[in-house]
């Protein structure tokens, strides 16, 4: 399954990289104070070390290689997540991501450049395989942070991004039709019943092996710091599987799906977006880094805040704890990192790449699953 950026993506990425390189000296005082203080590292969700490009490299490997060769950190991270976005077999991100309840693939992404104190995002964009590139273009070419829906697509078209009629693949369409068959959303179900039926159908499809377990909640977040202490991050997703059309999750929202403070570090998320939005946990985690906490302790505090803010009965398990998963991937400006998860699990892993190479590392869990 060799995959590569198409030429247009490459040209757009390359042009952006050249533009950023030209403005590097303007990063300012805060970033300069971190110079030469970091051990370079890139962290990402587990799919950051699964999908591969034509050279057999994964997201974290590409990002680490580019970043340590002197490329801008954010350009390196975006080039990394492009591999996952363009992978037709990753059904949680970009091209071939699982569509919304009407069968349309709508994508969310945001990115943040720590030294520049700049960010860009897109929500519910259709027709563009790699929304992280459009998020970066919003950062580079506008005075705004977030463009959504048709406006985001028109912006992308005007910049020369290819707009496709349908981002479904055979795999995402097959899963959608199976879900549709099981839920019959148009007939007789109340909105509440429809949500429950949709979730139950999806979980049953996981149990039956139709959807890989670690793909039901998808998304990639990827954060990195280079030897100069430049910290950046990017998050990109097709969002909740079979969501209500127009639903935007946490991924493109600063402070939720991603937050970067160029002086202290970065945090980003995968998992139940609504829970993360209610707590703005990525912002909270980076604030905790600013107060001097380690990445792991800062991440655990973010998870505890989500736990405290989860009070609706329908979202709780029999032990009164959140009945959903949410993960955070965290780096500080020294190159220390952590991956934390609401629940400890044998299979929960995140991707890390350092000078020693790339690996999948167990996530630290806040809670044990009931009966575990
Ligand atoms: N956080 C994403 C969202 O809520 C989904 C995920 O990571 O699974 O859209």
């Amino acid at each position: 399954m060799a995959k590569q950026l198409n030429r247009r993506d490459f040209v757009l990425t390359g042009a952006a990289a050249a533009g950023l390189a030209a403005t590097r000296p303007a990063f300012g005082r805060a970033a300069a104070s971190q110079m030469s203080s970091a051990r370079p590292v890139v962290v990402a969700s587990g799919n950051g070390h699964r999908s591969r490009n034509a050279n057999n490299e994964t997201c974290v490997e590409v990002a680490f290689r580019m970043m340590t060769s002197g490329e801008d950190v954010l350009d390196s991270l975006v080039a990394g997540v492009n591999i996952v976005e363009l992978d037709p077999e990753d059904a949680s991100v970009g091209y071939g991501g699982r569509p919304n309840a009407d069968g349309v693939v709508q994508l969310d992404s945001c990115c943040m450049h720590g030294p520049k104190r700049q960010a860009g995002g897109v929500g519910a964009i259709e027709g563009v395989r790699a929304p992280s590139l459009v998020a970066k273009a919003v950062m580079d070419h506008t005075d705004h942070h977030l463009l959504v829906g048709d406006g985001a697509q028109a912006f992308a078209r005007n910049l020369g991004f290819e707009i496709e009629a349908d981002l479904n693949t055979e795999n995402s369409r097959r899963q959608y039709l199976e879900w549709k068959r099981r839920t019959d959303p148009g007939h007789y179900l109340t909105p509440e019943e429809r949500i429950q039926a949709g979730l139950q159908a999806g979980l049953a499809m996981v149990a039956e092996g139709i959807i890989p377990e670690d793909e039901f909640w998808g998304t990639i977040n990827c954060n990195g710091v280079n030897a100069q202490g430049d910290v950046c991050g990017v998050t990109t997703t097709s969002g909740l599987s079979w969501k209500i059309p127009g639903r935007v999750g946490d991924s493109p929202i600063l402070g939720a799906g991603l937050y970067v403070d160029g002086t202290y570090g970065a945090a980003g998320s995968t998992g139940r977006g609504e829970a993360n939005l209610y707590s703005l946990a990525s912002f909270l985690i980076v604030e905790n880094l600013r107060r001097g906490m380690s990445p792991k302790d800062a991440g655990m505090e973010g998870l505890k805040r989500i736990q405290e803010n989860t009070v609706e009965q329908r979202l709780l398990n029999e032990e009164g704890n959140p009945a959903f998963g949410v993960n955070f991937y965290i780096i500080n400006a020294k190159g220390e990192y952590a991956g934390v998860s609401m629940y400890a699990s044998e299979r929960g892993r995140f991707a890390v790449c350092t000078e020693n190479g790339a690996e999948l590392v167990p996530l630290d869990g806040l809670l044990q699953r009931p009966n575990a």
Side-chain angles (χ1 to χ4, degrees):
M1 66 165 189
K3 291 157 290 283
Q4 231 176 349
L5 289 183
N6 65 34
R7 194 173 171 281
R8 182 189 297 273
D9 290 341
F10 179 77
V11 168
L12 280 166
T13 313
L20 288 176
T23 58
R24 267 177 85 80
F27 285 172
R29 251 183 318 124
S33 68
Q34 296 292 318
M35 292 292 255
S36 306
S37 57
R39 175 193 184 208
V41 65
V42 173
V43 302
S45 37
N47 49 355
H49 195 42
R50 260 182 235 126
S51 303
R52 291 176 184 278
N53 65 11
N55 298 324
N56 208 28
E57 286 177 308
T58 62
C59 163
V60 290
E61 289 171 338
V62 165
F64 188 82
R65 174 176 54 72
M66 287 177 62
M67 183 180 93
T68 50
S69 314
E71 300 271 357
D72 177 80
V73 176
L74 185 55
D75 285 336
S76 308
L77 302 177
V78 169
V81 299
N82 286 165
I83 293 171
V84 187
E85 290 176 317
L86 299 181
D87 181 354
E89 290 174 34
D90 187 306
S92 73
V93 177
Y95 174 59
R98 269 186 287 280
N100 66 20
D102 288 347
V104 178
V105 179
Q106 290 186 328
L107 305 171
D108 303 334
S109 178
C110 77
C111 63
M112 199 163 182
H113 197 288
K116 290 182 162 190
R117 266 55 178 182
Q118 287 182 346
V122 287
I125 187 172
E126 297 175 14
V128 180
R129 289 188 181 204
S132 64
L133 290 170
V134 189
K136 176 117 188 335
V138 171
M139 179 185 112
D140 286 336
H141 301 298
T142 78
D143 184 33
H144 312 304
H145 167 59
L146 189 58
L147 299 180
V148 304
D150 291 347
Q153 190 189 70
F155 171 77
R157 181 185 292 111
N158 290 340
L159 284 190
F161 282 87
E162 186 180 349
I163 309 296
E164 297 180 56
D166 187 1
L167 293 182
N168 277 292
T169 55
E170 205 182 310
N171 181 42
S172 65
R173 196 173 290 110
R174 184 174 43 77
Q175 292 182 3
Y176 169 72
L177 289 175
E178 179 64 19
W179 178 83
K180 189 91 171 155
R181 189 183 67 69
R182 294 182 186 214
T183 55
D184 191 22
H187 300 97
Y188 311 116
L189 295 177
T190 63
E192 184 108 326
E193 287 170 328
R194 175 178 155 167
I195 288 165
Q196 279 310 320
L199 183 63
Q200 292 316 321
L203 293 176
M205 287 165 72
V206 171
E208 292 166 33
I210 297 171
I211 298 173
E213 189 181 339
D214 49 9
E215 264 198 17
F216 185 59
W217 312 103
T219 305
I220 180 164
N221 160 248
C222 185
N223 309 315
V225 57
N226 66 9
Q228 286 71 46
D230 294 344
V231 185
C232 294
V234 58
T235 301
T236 179
T237 190
S238 51
L240 188 65
S241 305
W242 314 301
K243 60 200 171 187
I244 291 177
R247 179 264 187 190
V248 172
D250 59 331
S251 301
I253 306 296
L254 291 182
L258 173 72
Y259 196 74
V260 179
D261 182 309
T263 310
Y264 296 99
S269 164
T270 62
R272 184 178 157 79
E274 283 72 10
N276 186 17
L277 282 164
Y278 292 165
S279 298
L280 291 180
S282 289
F283 179 76
L284 177 67
I285 290 168
V286 174
E287 273 303 288
N288 286 334
L289 295 177
R290 179 196 279 266
R291 293 194 185 102
M293 279 189 199
S294 69
K296 181 177 166 188
D297 290 348
M300 288 298 177
E301 288 303 310
L303 291 171
K304 282 183 203 158
R305 181 67 62 84
I306 291 176
Q307 183 188 16
E308 283 164 25
N309 279 340
T310 305
V311 296
E312 278 186 81
Q313 203 55 42
R314 70 187 175 92
L315 296 174
L316 299 173
N317 64 21
E318 64 263 40
E319 293 181 348
N321 285 322
F324 53 79
V326 59
N327 300 339
F328 292 93
Y329 314 94
I330 306 146
I331 55 169
N332 67 19
K334 289 188 275 189
E336 297 163 336
Y337 59 85
V340 299
S341 181
M342 185 62 81
Y343 286 99
S345 109
E346 280 292 300
R347 302 191 50 211
R349 296 273 188 281
F350 71 110
V352 178
C353 192
T354 65
E355 72 276 16
N356 300 324
E359 58 181 334
L360 289 170
V361 176
L363 291 157
D364 286 304
L366 176 68
L367 304 171
Q368 296 296 326
R369 285 201 186 279
N371 312 317

